[in-house]
Amino acid sequence: MGPGGAVSMSPPAAMLRAMTLDRLPTPCALVDLDRLERNACAMLERARRLGVRLRPHVKTHKCVEAARIQTAGEHDGITVSTLAEARAFAAAGFRDITWAVPVALDRLDECAELVRRTDRFRVLVDHPRAVAELEVFAAAQGLRCELLLEVDCGLHRSGVDPDRPEAVAVAAAAHGSPHLQLAGILTHAGQSYRCGSRAEAAKVAIHERDVMVAFAGRLRAAGIAAGEVSIGSTPTVTAANDLSGVTEVRPGNYLFFDASQAAIGSCTLDELAFSVLATVLGVYPERRELVVNAGSLALSIDPGPVHVNPGCGFGVVVTTTGQRTIPGLRVVSLSQEHGVIRSDRRLAPSWQPGSRVRILPNHACLAAACFDRFHVVRVSEIVDEWHPVRGW
Amino acid sequence: MGPGGAVSMSPPAAMLRAMTLDRLPTPCALVDLDRLERNACAMLERARRLGVRLRPHVKTHKCVEAARIQTAGEHDGITVSTLAEARAFAAAGFRDITWAVPVALDRLDECAELVRRTDRFRVLVDHPRAVAELEVFAAAQGLRCELLLEVDCGLHRSGVDPDRPEAVAVAAAAHGSPHLQLAGILTHAGQSYRCGSRAEAAKVAIHERDVMVAFAGRLRAAGIAAGEVSIGSTPTVTAANDLSGVTEVRPGNYLFFDASQAAIGSCTLDELAFSVLATVLGVYPERRELVVNAGSLALSIDPGPVHVNPGCGFGVVVTTTGQRTIPGLRVVSLSQEHGVIRSDRRLAPSWQPGSRVRILPNHACLAAACFDRFHVVRVSEIVDEWHPVRGW
């Protein structure tokens, strides 16, 4: 049992590392290290070509080892989604961290601790109340806090509306404070997940950039320097051709990719680095169905890219080596520990209880969060085991 | 860090217990102990009245403390969904355990260990291959294994089709083995989750019972005694009026209940014992929306009872004491760490970053699995902290 954490009743790590892939207890999470390294290199190269800094998001994998590969071993700036990630990655040597969710005002003490422990810990704001409370807090703590103003470029989730005068007013309040430093502006074009192709995502990328560059211009006109112009989402960064005026990008999913990203054109299926290994529990020839032991607690129940492929189901079924899609199989439903796979043809007699498959999940960020450990493989050889951060 | 488990970077348990509810870091999981105890008592009483044994499923909460309340401190028989649960509950003194998912043939060594460590460890089969492999395995281990034959009573997930001759043949194979003991038959009428009312669930309960009693009769006619006739799902057990011929029931969700169970009539909203405490991060009056820090990693993304209420959203928003639904608010979308709540009226000015709400999730089994700890409360007082089992 971890310190105050959940009870872990799994076999010990040493035992698992000594295992071969075909002996691993299922369901379990596999990370294909060859693919992950290729995805990491490709994004570093893409950022270089586009002339922007890559500040990768670690929320998809939440593993220090993966972040080191993302930053090519340099421990450069990263993006996190939780304070738990920030603490763990700071403890592992990452000293430049952006928490890319609007700051929770009841967790400022933990933010102060991170400001003290790192070289740079930036938090997001999009509301005058947050700026006012941060100012009082920073003054009381004797700290100078770096803020990024979140801008809504079309997702309509969080962020100021850049067309409203309040947007500049929030920036001005931060800019004018002796205890705060407005480091720049940040957006996430999450609407790109609803695209149907790379070409559509490229259009969203242009819009994302244009909104941010225009807003940075309005801030400058008001006498406010927004040094950082930060954008980020795997579909837009993957599809962008010109990021003039942008200083940094924050994609995260790209390191694993997933079935949704493949469907919307960010990658191909053979670039997917995360999968779930599962065992067939039951075979139902009359229904042309198999039941496997990967349910909604192993794959999550993200409905996937239904806007591109209404029949996508809950993941793509591939062979145990992960190299080949098995034609005609579809994960049609999930319950807590059962996944139902339907075949569009008669089931081959080789399907028996005990057979195994890998499933490429619809949404790697959610599926990865189902697991306390990832088995890291090169093709079929287990080469490492990584432990993601959990909680908040 | 646990033994081979995920890295836990949360504040220590002792610190949390000393906190009051309004100081707990969010998002976090709350268990209302008064409601949970009432739900446990009501189900024990219901089982007594129906003349069946209650073998509660622990998969919703996965906490030893909760299972002790479910079994009124007697450590009576329980149902588990994973071998990890079986190991943890056996270690805590539960000696009569049914693993209610068809046995995975690549995990028989772990089953043998549980047969040795408990008084009774039953596994499910629904395929002749599973019976054959279990027989060879049990003979080699010098064990006698108790099996339950899973029967499909209409969910069409796992289980034999009771109307096909193969169903009796699988039972006969188990019955005839010196190394196996066919303890009985088991079903799960999960189709009851698609009901729209308690009256509809009562009809499914009648069907579930009738299918099982008729199949037990066919087995007896073939000379096979099916001692245990086990049914179970919270909607059917909650709605059933007559379970003649049934020996045990295995509901699990009832201990927490959830917004889906309330919508289909298994309970009322004021019986829900599990909730997620969240903090408002952003306020967007022009869209009448709030963003809270409970996203799909805190609530899961179960679409909920859309067949009853297409606009149900991703949970019910209640006050921080959990006592009252906040009218007009709906969780309209979730991303990894953001929950978007929309109001059907102008947002009151009291909504500010830092405000707090509780959310009653659509599906407590999936939402509870998002957390490594539950804060146990009586109204607003924190009285305990429970650590659910994770993994497989």
Side-chain angles (χ1 to χ4, degrees):
Chain A
M1 194 172 109
V7 180
S8 170
M9 298 298 293
S10 307
M15 186 180 137
L16 287 177
R17 267 196 296 272
M19 280 182 172
T20 54
L21 189 57
D22 57 324
R23 300 270 302 169
L24 277 180
T26 59
C28 64
L30 303 178
V31 171
D32 183 313
L33 191 54
D34 293 324
R35 290 181 178 188
L36 181 144
E37 286 172 348
R38 280 198 294 272
N39 295 341
C41 283
M43 189 57 81
L44 282 160
E45 174 53 30
R46 167 159 270 277
R48 249 191 308 269
R49 223 168 46 235
L50 288 164
V52 291
R53 199 168 39 249
L54 175 62
R55 179 189 284 277
H57 212 312
V58 303
K59 79 184 179 88
T60 303
H61 54 79
K62 304 192 183 211
C63 293
V64 166
E65 296 88 341
R68 289 193 181 123
I69 296 171
Q70 279 179 304
T71 57
E74 300 294 329
H75 285 67
D76 283 337
I78 56 169
T79 312
V80 300
S81 67
T82 66
L83 288 170
E85 289 165 34
R87 281 191 291 270
F89 283 82
F94 289 88
R95 306 194 54 81
D96 178 1
I97 299 174
T98 293
W99 182 23
V101 174
V103 62
L105 292 178
D106 46 8
R107 302 193 68 175
L108 296 187
D109 284 334
E110 295 161 81
C111 293
E113 184 59 28
L114 282 157
V115 170
R116 291 195 183 95
R117 279 175 55 192
T118 59
D119 297 332
R120 175 177 291 148
F121 181 69
R122 288 171 169 173
V123 298
L124 250 61
V125 292
D126 74 354
H127 195 282
R129 164 77 170 262
V131 175
E133 290 219 8
L134 273 166
E135 181 171 30
V136 170
F137 179 81
Q141 295 273 324
L143 286 175
R144 191 167 161 86
C145 288
E146 279 197 41
L147 311 186
L148 290 160
L149 177 65
E150 185 174 7
V151 176
D152 178 6
C153 72
L155 177 59
H156 307 321
R157 187 178 65 180
S158 46
V160 293
D161 178 343
D163 294 327
R164 296 174 71 96
E166 298 94 308
V168 177
V170 179
H175 181 70
S177 161
H179 308 291
L180 305 177
Q181 182 184 344
L182 182 69
I185 59 178
L186 174 149
T187 197
H188 169 64
Q191 68 269 35
S192 60
Y193 280 69
R194 300 192 287 262
C195 288
S197 67
R198 198 180 182 100
E200 274 182 51
K203 282 185 204 158
V204 177
I206 292 170
H207 177 73
E208 181 183 28
R209 177 201 65 195
D210 288 351
V211 167
M212 294 298 277
V213 170
F215 185 64
R218 281 205 290 288
L219 290 184
R220 263 194 307 276
I224 304 165
E228 197 78 271
V229 179
S230 176
I231 67 155
S233 84
T234 286
T236 56
V237 177
T238 305
N241 294 309
D242 177 0
L243 292 180
S244 309
V246 167
T247 60
E248 71 169 22
V249 295
R250 307 179 325 281
N253 180 285
Y254 75 93
L255 197 64
F256 282 167
F257 282 131
D258 54 32
S260 295
Q261 295 287 345
I264 67 176
S266 300
C267 60
T268 57
L269 280 179
D270 59 11
E271 292 174 300
L272 271 52
F274 182 87
S275 59
V276 174
L277 183 66
T279 299
V280 172
L281 306 178
V283 181
Y284 312 90
E286 63 285 4
R287 292 188 258 136
R288 297 178 169 177
E289 286 180 352
L290 308 169
V291 165
V292 295
N293 62 350
S296 44
L297 285 199
L299 293 169
S300 88
I301 44 170
D302 192 293
V306 285
H307 65 293
V308 182
N309 176 9
C312 62
F314 293 94
V316 175
V317 184
V318 299
T319 55
T320 50
T321 58
Q323 302 303 303
R324 199 170 50 74
T325 303
I326 304 178
L329 295 188
R330 209 157 55 89
V331 185
V332 290
S333 69
L334 299 175
S335 45
Q336 188 163 340
E337 298 297 345
H338 301 72
V340 179
I341 297 177
R342 190 174 296 155
S343 175
D344 65 5
R345 57 204 70 171
R346 205 167 63 85
L347 281 173
S350 55
W351 289 112
Q352 290 288 329
S355 301
R356 289 180 159 207
V357 294
R358 278 203 219 181
I359 300 173
L360 307 170
N362 281 341
H363 193 166
C365 310
L366 301 193
C370 295
F371 293 88
D372 283 349
R373 69 181 75 195
F374 304 153
H375 303 287
V376 183
V377 299
R378 292 202 190 268
V379 192
S380 291
E381 189 196 354
I382 302 172
V383 296
D384 206 350
E385 183 179 305
W386 294 347
H387 299 139
V389 178
R390 282 185 54 80
W392 293 271
Chain B
M1 196 174 107
V7 180
S8 170
M9 297 299 292
S10 307
M15 186 181 137
L16 288 177
R17 266 196 295 274
M19 279 183 174
T20 53
L21 188 57
D22 57 324
R23 300 268 303 168
L24 276 180
T26 60
C28 64
L30 303 179
V31 171
D32 183 312
L33 191 54
D34 293 324
R35 290 181 177 187
L36 181 144
E37 287 172 347
R38 280 198 295 272
N39 295 342
C41 284
M43 189 56 82
L44 282 160
E45 173 54 28
R46 167 158 271 276
R48 249 191 308 269
R49 224 167 47 235
L50 289 164
V52 292
R53 202 171 33 251
L54 174 63
R55 180 188 283 278
H57 212 312
V58 303
K59 78 183 179 89
T60 303
H61 54 77
K62 306 193 183 209
C63 293
V64 166
E65 297 87 342
R68 289 194 180 123
I69 296 171
Q70 279 180 302
T71 56
E74 299 294 329
H75 285 66
D76 283 338
I78 57 168
T79 310
V80 301
S81 67
T82 66
L83 288 170
E85 288 165 33
R87 280 191 291 270
F89 283 81
F94 288 88
R95 305 194 55 81
D96 178 2
I97 298 174
T98 293
W99 182 22
V101 175
V103 60
L105 293 178
D106 47 8
R107 302 194 68 177
L108 296 187
D109 284 334
E110 294 162 81
C111 293
E113 185 59 28
L114 283 157
V115 170
R116 290 195 183 93
R117 279 174 57 193
T118 59
D119 298 332
R120 176 178 288 149
F121 181 69
R122 289 173 169 171
V123 298
L124 249 61
V125 293
D126 73 354
H127 194 282
R129 165 76 169 263
V131 175
E133 290 218 9
L134 273 167
E135 182 172 28
V136 170
F137 179 80
Q141 295 272 325
L143 287 176
R144 192 169 160 86
C145 288
E146 279 197 42
L147 311 186
L148 291 161
L149 177 65
E150 185 174 7
V151 175
D152 178 6
C153 73
L155 178 57
H156 307 322
R157 188 178 65 179
S158 45
V160 294
D161 179 343
D163 294 328
R164 295 174 71 96
E166 298 93 309
V168 176
V170 179
H175 182 68
S177 160
H179 308 291
L180 305 177
Q181 182 185 346
L182 183 68
I185 58 177
L186 174 149
T187 198
H188 168 64
Q191 69 268 34
S192 60
Y193 280 70
R194 300 193 287 262
C195 287
S197 67
R198 199 180 181 100
E200 274 182 51
K203 282 186 205 158
V204 177
I206 292 170
H207 177 73
E208 180 183 29
R209 177 202 65 195
D210 288 351
V211 166
M212 294 299 276
V213 170
F215 185 64
R218 283 206 288 289
L219 290 184
R220 264 194 308 276
I224 304 164
E228 197 78 90
V229 179
S230 176
I231 68 154
S233 84
T234 286
T236 56
V237 177
T238 304
N241 293 309
D242 177 0
L243 292 179
S244 308
V246 167
T247 60
E248 71 169 23
V249 295
R250 307 179 324 280
N253 181 284
Y254 75 94
L255 197 64
F256 282 168
F257 283 131
D258 54 33
S260 295
Q261 295 287 345
I264 67 176
S266 301
C267 61
T268 57
L269 280 178
D270 58 12
E271 292 174 301
L272 271 52
F274 182 87
S275 60
V276 174
L277 184 66
T279 299
V280 172
L281 306 179
V283 181
Y284 311 91
E286 63 285 5
R287 293 188 258 137
R288 297 179 168 178
E289 286 179 352
L290 309 170
V291 164
V292 295
N293 62 350
S296 44
L297 285 198
L299 293 169
S300 89
I301 44 168
D302 193 293
V306 285
H307 64 294
V308 182
N309 177 9
C312 63
F314 293 93
V316 175
V317 185
V318 298
T319 54
T320 49
T321 58
Q323 303 301 303
R324 201 170 49 75
T325 303
I326 304 178
L329 294 188
R330 210 156 55 88
V331 185
V332 290
S333 68
L334 299 176
S335 46
Q336 186 161 340
E337 299 295 346
H338 301 71
V340 180
I341 297 177
R342 190 174 297 153
S343 175
D344 65 7
R345 58 204 70 171
R346 205 166 63 85
L347 282 173
S350 55
W351 289 113
Q352 290 288 330
S355 302
R356 288 179 161 209
V357 293
R358 277 204 219 180
I359 300 173
L360 306 170
N362 281 339
H363 192 166
C365 310
L366 302 192
C370 294
F371 293 88
D372 284 349
R373 71 183 72 194
F374 304 153
H375 303 286
V376 183
V377 299
R378 291 203 191 268
V379 191
S380 292
E381 189 197 353
I382 302 171
V383 296
D384 206 351
E385 183 178 304
W386 294 348
H387 300 138
V389 178
R390 282 186 52 81
W392 293 270

